[in-house]
Amino acid sequence: MEIVFVVAIAENGVIGAGSAIPWRLKSDMQRFKALTIGKPVVMGRKTFESLPRPLPGRTNIVITRDAGFRAAGAVVTTSSADAYAIARGDALRRSVAEIAVIGGAEIYRQWLDRADRLEVTEVHARPEGDTVFEINQAEWEEVARVRHPAGGDDSADFSYVTYRRRP
C-alpha cells in the first residue's frame, strides 16, 4: 500500500497562512481530484474544516485530538494508527493501491516516515505564511517535473513535481 502526499508548496516552503492557502490555483484542482478520486484521503481537522464539503468520491478520514469531534461525510479518529487501519481497509475494499495524505502540516509530520511518494504542486511564488513543508533532498529523489504557466484563475506559475523516497 503506497502512502502518497498531495501538497502544494511555495518556493519558500510555505503551505499555509492563517489556516488558509495563500494563493489561488484553480488549474491545480483537476490534478488534485485525479490524484485522490476513489481513494481514502487522510487529513487533519483544520484541513477538513477548510473544505466547503467532504470530498466526494473519496473516503474522508479526519484525525483530531478532539475525541468529541463529529463530521458528516467523514470518518473521525484520534490516532494516526487508527487512520492508517481505516484507510488501508478502505483502499483494499476499493481495490486501490494508494492512500492519499492531504494535510495539514501536523498530519504530514506524523505520516512522513511512512510516505512513499510526494505529489507536489510547486507554486512559483514566495508568499508570507505561518505553515511550512520542507523536502529533505537526501531522503527524496525528484523523478518528474512539468512546469505550467498561470492560467486565467491562477495567481502564480506552478510545476507538478513527483518525488520518490530514496532507497
Side-chain angles (χ1 to χ4, degrees):
M1 188 71 47
E2 212 173 39
I3 306 293
V4 180
F5 281 23
V6 182
V7 58
I9 309 171
E11 291 173 344
N12 58 354
V14 168
I15 63 171
S19 296
I21 297 171
W23 54 76
R24 178 170 167 75
L25 288 182
K26 191 169 183 184
S27 299
D28 190 40
M29 292 298 101
Q30 289 178 331
R31 179 170 185 263
F32 178 84
K33 184 176 182 180
L35 288 169
T36 60
I37 196 75
K39 298 172 187 161
V41 291
V42 176
M43 69 195 91
R45 178 190 51 80
K46 291 177 191 173
T47 298
F48 180 78
E49 289 177 337
S50 75
L51 302 172
R53 66 185 185 286
L55 298 170
R58 290 151 275 204
T59 300
N60 292 244
I61 302 164
V62 178
I63 303 171
T64 179
R65 288 184 208 65
D66 180 356
F69 181 77
R70 298 291 175 264
V75 178
V76 179
T77 182
T78 57
S79 83
S80 286
D82 287 348
Y84 177 76
I86 294 162
R88 186 173 190 285
D90 183 68
L92 292 170
R93 279 189 296 282
R94 292 174 178 265
S95 297
V96 297
E98 296 176 357
I99 296 168
V101 177
I102 64 168
E106 181 61 29
I107 302 306
Y108 289 134
R109 272 191 290 281
Q110 290 175 15
W111 286 66
L112 188 58
D113 288 344
R114 297 186 222 196
D116 301 293
R117 190 172 87 233
L118 309 177
E119 291 293 346
V120 175
T121 300
E122 188 176 274
V123 182
H124 299 297
R126 302 181 75 74
E128 294 290 321
D130 54 16
T131 310
V132 297
F133 185 105
E134 294 184 26
I135 298 170
N136 180 343
Q137 299 296 328
E139 293 181 29
W140 297 95
E141 177 181 11
E142 182 178 317
V143 296
R145 174 180 290 270
V146 179
R147 188 172 176 111
H148 295 275
D153 290 324
D154 301 329
S155 62
D157 292 350
F158 56 95
S159 295
Y160 294 142
V161 187
T162 301
Y163 293 88
R164 286 235 170 248
R165 186 176 292 282
R166 292 185 188 274

